[in-house]
Amino acid sequence: MTARVGILISGRGSNMQSLVRAAGDAYRVALVASDKPDAAGLTWAAEQGIATLAHPGKRADREAAFDAALRDAGVEVIALAGYMRLLSDDFVARWAGRILNIHPSLLPLYKGLDTHARAIAAGDVEAGCSVHVVTEELDAGEVLGQARVPILPGDTAETLAERVLAVEHSLYPSVLAEFVTR
Ligand code: GRF
């Protein structure tokens, strides 16, 4: 059976685009929603014929609108893709075990922001990204898959972020497809 997926974004949505492009027998993207009405990814999703929703309001109102639209669209699994807001415990509880996120570090290392700069500053020789289940605690749910990239001499947070992002784009669709069929 093909799972219906909803994606939450705040910006360019390059991971969302990868998820949409890889959709097929395992999952279809039924809705893309954002806290930012001007998120570039919303325009792209609408051009693909995907239902979109933007809600810039207060968190409780926004999450109520998202929840209603996701349920109306028959969504079973939510994928966060550069969604830069913390979800309320209430929202996470209502979708318990059915929200995934991609984080640009090898969790449990570097939860939160500025992951690439922190990995370089620590002298790490590799970085990467993780797809994990979202729980009430930030970036702490079960890790479902990871991809690694070397940190090269002379890397800046920007050059490293670019290389990590390239592997995010293949990791997320494969982990999502596996998750919805398990
Ligand atoms: C990515 O680095 C992702 O790991 C993080 O936010 C960024 C989103 O990029 N969660 P995009 O909007 O998918 O291009």
Side-chain angles (χ1 to χ4, degrees):
M1 229 182 67
T2 305
R4 294 174 75 82
V5 170
I7 305 180
L8 304 189
I9 63 168
S10 293
R12 63 191 163 180
S14 70
N15 276 292
M16 176 274 294
Q17 295 188 24
S18 299
L19 292 174
V20 169
R21 289 199 177 97
D25 289 344
Y27 71 87
R28 293 273 174 201
V29 178
L31 179 74
V32 175
S34 181
D35 57 314
K36 297 251 192 298
D38 59 354
L42 280 182
T43 311
W44 183 87
E47 284 166 5
Q48 316 308 307
I50 298 169
T52 62
L53 170 71
H55 199 295
K58 288 201 180 116
R59 183 167 78 173
D61 299 339
R62 181 173 62 242
E63 290 186 350
F66 285 180
D67 189 69
L70 289 161
R71 288 176 198 281
D72 282 353
V75 164
E76 301 156 88
V77 173
I78 299 173
L80 307 184
Y83 184 64
M84 299 306 285
R85 303 277 186 165
L86 287 176
L87 293 169
S88 69
D89 289 355
D90 182 53
F91 186 92
V92 173
R94 272 185 283 159
W95 290 87
R98 297 191 293 144
I99 309 176
L100 305 190
N101 181 42
I102 188 153
H103 183 74
S105 79
L106 295 171
L107 290 172
L109 291 175
Y110 313 123
K111 297 172 182 174
L113 298 175
D114 299 325
T115 56
H116 310 96
R118 286 154 65 201
I120 292 169
D124 294 355
V125 295
E126 65 175 4
C129 51
S130 309
V131 177
H132 65 95
V133 177
V134 172
T135 59
E136 282 83 352
E137 198 184 332
L138 181 70
D139 300 331
E142 180 193 357
V143 173
L144 301 171
Q146 291 185 315
R148 295 166 183 272
V149 302
I151 298 180
L152 305 176
D155 253 341
T156 63
E158 290 71 29
T159 60
L160 179 58
E162 201 175 311
R163 285 208 316 288
V164 171
L165 192 61
V167 300
E168 291 178 33
H169 293 161
S170 53
L171 179 72
Y172 209 175
S174 67
V175 173
L176 176 62
E178 198 177 312
F179 179 77
V180 298
T181 49
R182 77 181 188 177

